[in-house]
Amino acid sequence: ATDLFLGIITTIASVLSISLNALALPYFIRKNPKLADTLYLLIITTDIVIGLAYLPTAVSLFHFRHPMWLGNTAFCSITGFVMEVSYGVSVFLVVTLSVVRAISFVCPFRRVSRSLVLSLVGVFTSAEILVLSVFGFGFTVRGYTFTEFFAICRWYLLELTFITKSSNPTSMLLAMELMFYAVPILVQMTLVTLSCSISIKAIQKTSSSFRKNSIPSLRNSSNTTSSSFQNHLSNSSNNPSNGLNNSGNALTSPSQPDPRSARQLQATTTIVMVTLVYVTFNLPGWVFGMYHMICYLTWGEECPDMATWDSTYPEAVSHLYSVSMVQSLLFNSAVNPIVYFCRMAELRQGLAKRNCWKRVRGMSQSSMKDSYSNGRNENRFS
């Protein structure tokens, strides 16, 4: 029953990730080539790939974790490789998006180079592909193999040839786990915490300035409007300019916030929300990974393995560990486009085809006016 439920959830998340990100993709392709929009475009493309890569996992869960499609060695290797590369690239893109926004607040007069950031993304992606190709296909005994516990294809550090042939495999394994798990987790947590803190402080500062500017203007608007209106009435007989004050200018409304600052506030809030969604779905995996490292450092080989159903941990903890290490990335990819749709009005308007709806509504209103006028003419001559 648990596998069936996970299969349903994985299928729904995969379909949402593929369909919603595909709907948002044309909007970001047509937008101006700004750095943030380019990073969003890359994140959306990566999320679509992630949704496709998890479909074989959903099929396996529906069949009680049997390999099914992943039983083919070539397909298993390709799926596992694409899943791992997509995870690394997705994490790097989200962290880069958050860090770039924080840098724009720390150094407001220095523009972040778009070509430099995209070059870093390309270098990281190439390095990720190279490292996973070398370790996943070259240095492991079996390469990518199907894992019943996770229902995915992956390679294991314990099967690296230089670890199995080493005289001290424990220290070698610990060094590899530090390189592949502990150091990336610590770097991600540090960068995300610092960048989000800077962005949240900037949001609070901008919001408070908006409130300070709006309250006095609203307080003085009634006096300004009434005095202007009285002057307008008193001078209306001598001055035929309707709607103008003594200086010949139009009656002013309360001051509005700077549009550029408002757009910056909205963009920063969206980036912070995307980053917090990423942290929410990846935090359990980080906790389990750090716990495994501490457990291995404390008890060594006596540390119980969590990636087995025969472990000393309760079954609920094992399922939570499996979901946090596998499905959490898929859930993150499915929630990201929901954030885009909720935060970006232009994206919603493009999907709803608002202009077409306006034309249809205008045609219907004009036809109603014509029928009403014809009815009045008929009554007039009857």
Side-chain angles (χ1 to χ4, degrees):
T2 305
D3 292 341
L4 180 61
F5 174 75
L6 288 177
I8 295 173
I9 296 298
T10 304
T11 303
I12 294 174
S14 297
V15 172
L16 289 177
S17 177
I18 297 170
S19 59
L20 294 181
N21 283 291
L23 288 174
L25 187 62
Y27 167 76
F28 288 98
I29 292 176
R30 291 193 298 265
K31 286 203 70 175
N32 295 327
K34 296 181 181 179
L35 178 57
D37 295 329
T38 305
L39 292 176
Y40 277 128
L41 178 62
L42 295 175
I43 292 172
I44 288 172
T45 305
T46 307
D47 288 342
I48 293 175
V49 175
I50 291 172
L52 292 172
Y54 271 88
L55 288 176
T57 300
V59 175
S60 175
L61 290 172
F62 280 123
H63 294 82
F64 306 102
R65 299 181 185 266
H66 290 294
M68 304 306 293
W69 296 353
L70 299 176
N72 184 279
T73 304
F75 185 76
C76 179
S77 300
I78 294 174
T79 304
F81 179 75
V82 169
M83 190 178 292
E84 287 194 337
V85 172
S86 301
Y87 172 74
V89 174
S90 177
V91 169
F92 185 80
L93 289 173
V94 174
V95 174
T96 302
L97 183 66
S98 180
V99 170
V100 166
R101 175 58 64 173
I103 291 175
S104 66
F105 289 114
V106 175
C107 304
F109 300 104
R110 292 193 61 182
R111 186 176 182 180
V112 181
S113 175
R114 178 175 178 269
S115 59
L116 177 61
V117 175
L118 295 182
S119 299
L120 291 176
V121 173
V123 170
F124 178 84
T125 305
S126 302
E128 185 85 359
I129 293 173
L130 179 61
V131 169
L132 292 177
S133 299
V134 170
F135 285 94
F137 296 106
F139 291 161
T140 54
V141 178
R142 296 184 299 169
Y144 284 90
T145 55
F146 177 76
T147 305
E148 182 181 353
F149 181 81
F150 295 112
I152 61 173
C153 293
R154 56 174 298 183
W155 58 278
Y156 291 91
L157 293 174
L158 285 171
E159 295 183 354
L160 292 172
T161 54
F162 56 85
I163 291 181
T164 56
K165 296 179 181 179
S166 176
S167 58
N168 190 4
T170 303
S171 59
M172 290 289 295
L173 180 61
L174 181 60
M176 296 301 297
E177 287 189 347
L178 285 172
M179 184 177 71
F180 279 97
Y181 297 112
V183 173
I185 289 174
L186 291 176
V187 171
Q188 294 172 34
M189 291 175 63
T190 304
L191 292 177
V192 167
T193 302
L194 291 176
S195 59
C196 276
S197 300
I198 295 172
S199 298
I200 290 173
K201 288 183 179 179
I203 291 173
Q204 293 174 349
K205 183 178 179 180
T206 307
S207 300
S208 62
S209 64
F210 281 174
R211 287 194 296 268
K212 290 179 181 178
N213 292 333
S214 62
I215 291 175
S217 62
L218 290 175
R219 187 177 299 170
N220 298 327
S221 62
S222 59
N223 297 329
T224 305
T225 305
S226 60
S227 61
S228 301
F229 185 69
Q230 290 174 1
N231 293 331
H232 171 67
L233 290 178
S234 61
N235 298 328
S236 59
S237 58
N238 299 324
N239 187 8
S241 58
N242 217 3
L244 301 178
N245 56 15
N246 293 332
S247 301
N249 298 324
L251 297 179
T252 58
S253 60
S255 60
Q256 299 295 328
D258 183 15
R260 185 175 179 275
S261 299
R263 288 194 300 268
Q264 188 178 20
L265 175 63
Q266 183 179 7
T268 305
T269 306
T270 304
I271 292 174
V272 170
M273 291 179 64
V274 171
T275 308
L276 292 179
V277 167
Y278 154 75
V279 172
T280 301
F281 285 105
N282 286 271
L283 185 61
W286 294 347
V287 172
F288 278 116
M290 297 305 297
Y291 169 77
H292 180 71
M293 288 294 304
I294 296 173
C295 179
Y296 195 82
L297 287 172
T298 306
W299 290 288
E301 296 181 355
E302 296 181 0
C303 179
D305 188 10
M306 299 185 67
T308 58
W309 299 113
D310 299 330
S311 64
T312 57
Y313 301 99
E315 185 177 355
V317 175
S318 298
H319 279 295
L320 180 61
Y321 175 65
S322 175
V323 172
S324 63
M325 299 300 290
V326 178
Q327 276 84 7
S328 60
L329 175 63
L330 177 62
F331 298 157
N332 189 5
S333 301
V335 173
N336 280 339
I338 298 177
V339 176
Y340 307 151
F341 290 127
C342 293
R343 295 292 305 170
M344 300 178 182
E346 295 180 1
L347 179 58
R348 297 194 302 270
Q349 292 172 4
L351 291 177
K353 297 181 180 179
R354 187 175 179 180
N355 293 331
C356 296
W357 168 247
K358 280 184 176 181
R359 285 196 294 268
V360 173
R361 187 172 59 182
M363 292 174 61
S364 62
Q365 289 179 353
S366 63
S367 62
M368 290 177 62
K369 289 180 180 179
D370 292 340
S371 62
Y372 177 73
S373 61
N374 292 334
R376 291 186 61 184
N377 292 332
E378 291 176 358
N379 293 331
R380 183 182 302 173
F381 292 103
S382 60

